[in-house]
Amino acid sequence: MTELVSRAQGVRFDELALATRNHGMQLEGMRYDITPIGMHYLLIHFDIPEIDASSWRLRVTGNVERELELSLDDIRSRPATTIPVTLECAGNGRTGMDPRNISQPWGLEAIGTAVWTGTALGGILDGCGIRDEAVEVVFTGADRGFQYNVEHDYQRSLPIGECRRPEVLLAYEMNGTPLPPQHGFPLRLLVPGWYGMTSVKWLRNIEVVDQPFTGFQQTAAYRYQRDAEDPGLPVSRIRVRALMIPPGIPDFQSRRRTVEAGAVVLRGRAWSGTSPVVGVEVGVDGVWRDAQLDRSVAEFAWCSWSYTWDVGPGEYRLSCRATDADGNVQPAEQFWNRQGMGNNLIQEFPVTVR
């Protein structure tokens, strides 16, 4: 696979074109426990496919005793689960890496928390009778295109054990309404705790396989690579992160913040795909203090935090960092990788207090 890496400070025209097709969540959107659909981050690899729900079918094939072909009504008639889940793009923070991968130029906004409704994937797989030799399940979306000159359907796989987690869903609703076209209508996979590339949209086929899947999006894309020759390690669970709602008011272009002197309440969100967040700290010019952490709205959704900052006029640098129950802490120096994945570097920005 040929990849482009740049030390340029600006963005290229093709990156700008990607940025107009895809969008992040404005960081002030973290005020909402549940992100409005129009604010939720969005990444579309190829085109939004045109799908007629009345004729659409999901096929379950491969190493099963009984293959299935299900309509949307068939899936909606099955037992339903509704859960809030925070999704984050694996490339979130990519523009903070130097050199950086030439791709969707994410800052820190590729996040969102929605309420998803669907039926458990494990129930459908168990009903098909998975054979003993099966090792993975391959999910194929209806979107197709080229990436680095490789033509392919968007496909990802998961180990059988992950597929049987009760919270892994075939989702058909987002925030109480049918999936919008851009978010995977009529059906998408939802894998809580994993970066967003795993939750395949516009799902059309599920295949149970007896060998590890080697498709492009599994073995070439979404890898932690040191260089072009390194096969890398697969990107999977979301790394621990805290983000701050930008305080005060912004400058239109630079987004630099200005706040009034006095007691300033700083707020934000924190999440992790491996274990619950147990602490958030706020840094002022490199001095760290514990923030007040609130309970998450659900196991796989972000939690809120707050900190009261008593401050006089001047110039300051604010930052925040989270720690999860496994002891993972956001780094002060970013682990670099060629594709710009999993960047959970501490958020830091300047603030003027007047």
Side-chain angles (χ1 to χ4, degrees), residues 210-226:
D210 60 5
Q211 298 290 331
F213 176 61
T214 58
F216 182 92
Q217 297 292 339
Q218 197 80 22
T219 58
Y222 296 105
R223 312 288 293 188
Y224 293 116
Q225 294 175 296
R226 295 185 300 272

Side-chain angles (χ1 to χ4, degrees), residues 64-273:
V64 295
E65 299 298 334
R66 297 168 295 281
E67 294 191 347
L68 288 179
E69 184 173 290
L70 302 170
S71 69
L72 185 58
D73 286 342
D74 293 333
I75 292 169
R76 293 181 69 98
S77 69
R78 298 180 61 85
T81 298
T82 298
I83 51 173
V85 174
T86 296
L87 289 181
E88 180 177 16
C89 183
N92 200 19
R94 174 180 287 124
T95 55
M97 291 187 172
D98 185 21
R100 75 171 194 279
N101 179 241
I102 302 301
S103 184
Q104 170 67 27
W106 289 126
L108 295 174
E109 65 283 344
I111 53 172
T113 298
V115 175
W116 304 91
T117 298
T119 193
L121 169 65
I124 288 178
L125 294 177
D126 289 343
C128 291
I130 297 177
R131 293 174 180 162
D132 291 341
E133 61 268 26
V135 296
E136 288 186 352
V137 180
V138 179
F139 304 90
T140 302
D143 49 332
R144 183 175 181 85
F146 293 89
Q147 191 168 346
Y148 303 116
N149 298 318
V150 178
E151 183 177 357
H152 60 282
D153 296 318
Y154 189 88
Q155 294 177 295
R156 292 279 307 180
S157 71
L158 281 173
I160 296 291
E162 285 292 319
C163 293
R164 285 200 165 109
R165 289 167 47 202
E167 64 272 10
V168 175
L169 302 182
L170 301 181
Y172 45 77
E173 288 186 2
M174 180 182 188
N175 288 1
T177 64
L179 287 177
Q182 69 272 28
H183 282 285
F185 176 85
L187 191 75
R188 69 176 293 169
L189 180 66
L190 181 74
V191 186
W194 286 57
Y195 281 113
M197 78 286 169
T198 314
S199 296
V200 177
K201 298 189 286 289
W202 309 293
L203 196 60
R204 65 176 177 83
N205 193 79
I206 295 173
E207 182 183 9
V208 180
V209 296
D210 60 5
Q211 298 290 331
F213 176 61
T214 58
F216 182 92
Q217 297 292 339
Q218 197 80 22
T219 58
Y222 296 105
R223 312 288 293 188
Y224 293 116
Q225 294 175 296
R226 295 185 300 272
D227 53 53
E229 305 304 318
D230 178 17
L233 296 174
V235 176
S236 57
R237 294 273 183 159
I238 298 172
R239 293 177 170 180
V240 64
R241 187 195 289 279
L243 288 177
M244 186 183 300
I245 299 169
I249 59 174
D251 174 73
F252 167 68
Q253 187 161 324
S254 71
R255 311 309 295 175
R256 185 185 177 95
R257 313 304 298 189
T258 297
V259 303
E260 304 297 332
V264 179
V265 178
L266 304 175
R267 296 183 293 146
R269 301 282 179 173
W271 62 93
S272 173

Side-chain angles (χ1 to χ4, degrees), residues 30 241-243 268-272 277 279-280 293 301-305 322:
M30 288 188 290
R241 187 195 289 279
L243 288 177
R269 301 282 179 173
W271 62 93
S272 173
V277 172
V280 172
L293 188 65
W302 57 22
C303 55
S304 61
W305 60 263

Side-chain angles (χ1 to χ4, degrees), residues 273-288:
T274 57
S275 63
V277 172
V278 295
V280 172
E281 298 166 278
V282 170
V284 180
D285 292 338
V287 178
W288 295 96

